[in-house]
Amino acid sequence: MTVQIRPAALDDLDLIRRLRLQRSSWLAARGSDQWSTEASGLSIDYFSRAVSRAVADWETWIAEVEGEPAGTITVNDRADRELWTNAELGNALIVHYLIVDLRFAGCGVGRRLLAHAAALARAHARSWVRLDAWTANSDLHAYYRRAGFRLVRVADPDVPSPSCALFERHVDDWLFDGAGLGTPVGFPMIPLARDPIVLPVSG
């Protein structure tokens, strides 16, 4: 089984919206308030507008397994400045909206998308991949730890964000993890070729 990672197109917006709704329902069924508007999560309409801008800026990617859409990730150099310092933002790319289709859960798609974020960071001469995770979702924190990230800190409780658990991983760590970090075929903010990247997925 292989995963292909390609830049998202505007035609993918409905797909990304469906993935978000699917995962939100899955989380709610397990008692999590992640992404719920009641817990100050982004509404689906706000999310759609944010992803639309990211797609237009070549910052969003789609993973496909055997030709089937399997997940998405957005990677750029922007984040809530109340969460990260200027120095932390200056030497990192930031992961947003990592969502794997439930049909492909456990197939390594999320890890491949994170490795792709590391390849993008390296291509942009950044040393770190950083992200903020939903503060109350301990299962999500455990997922990122298993993926090689470390918890940097939990942001000040006065920060008006429900995603204050801050994680990071150095790009060099992926080199020791068996994940190739070759230059991506296309990367965000600099539109190059739109050919997919083919990476093996175990499982």
Side-chain angles (χ1 to χ4, degrees), residues 7-200:
L10 292 176
D11 290 348
D12 294 308
L13 290 175
D14 284 344
L15 162 68
I16 296 169
R17 182 184 173 102
R18 287 196 305 274
L19 289 176
R20 161 68 190 270
L21 290 170
Q22 178 201 65
R23 186 59 73 163
S24 296
S25 296
W26 182 87
L27 287 162
R30 282 151 183 77
S32 173
D33 65 355
Q34 180 169 335
W35 288 339
S36 69
T37 53
E38 294 80 8
S40 301
L42 299 181
S43 71
I44 189 63
D45 290 334
Y46 188 99
F47 169 84
S48 298
R49 291 193 297 272
V51 171
S52 178
R53 291 191 296 270
V55 168
D57 289 339
W58 291 71
E59 297 171 351
T60 297
W61 302 80
I62 300 294
E64 295 180 344
V65 173
E66 308 300 339
E68 287 291 318
T72 184
I73 194 171
T74 292
V75 185
N76 58 39
D77 57 358
R78 298 185 303 280
D80 189 335
R81 293 193 175 269
E82 294 178 308
L83 297 178
W84 300 100
T85 67
N86 288 336
E88 288 170 329
L89 290 174
N91 66 357
L93 287 186
I94 310 298
V95 166
H96 311 270
Y97 314 138
L98 173 63
I99 310 172
V100 174
D101 189 310
L102 291 172
R103 296 175 301 159
F104 299 96
C107 294
V109 174
R111 285 176 180 257
R112 289 300 179 182
L113 285 166
L114 290 169
H116 184 67
L120 295 171
R122 181 175 287 276
H124 285 281
R126 306 295 177 97
S127 298
W128 295 91
V129 175
R130 293 189 164 111
L131 59 91
D132 58 86
W134 198 264
T135 310
N137 190 340
S138 58
D139 289 341
L140 183 60
H141 302 176
Y143 171 82
Y144 283 120
R145 286 191 177 97
R146 290 193 303 272
F149 284 76
R150 73 175 188 94
L151 178 66
V152 179
R153 63 183 176 276
V154 176
D156 190 300
D158 292 334
V159 172
S161 171
S163 293
C164 288
L166 308 183
F167 287 84
E168 68 181 11
R169 184 175 176 183
H170 198 279
V171 296
D172 288 348
D173 288 350
W174 272 274
L175 298 177
F176 300 105
D177 208 24
L181 291 186
T183 302
V185 176
F187 43 85
M189 302 170 284
I190 304 175
L192 299 178
R194 294 181 58 84
D195 298 327
I197 298 164
V198 180
L199 297 169

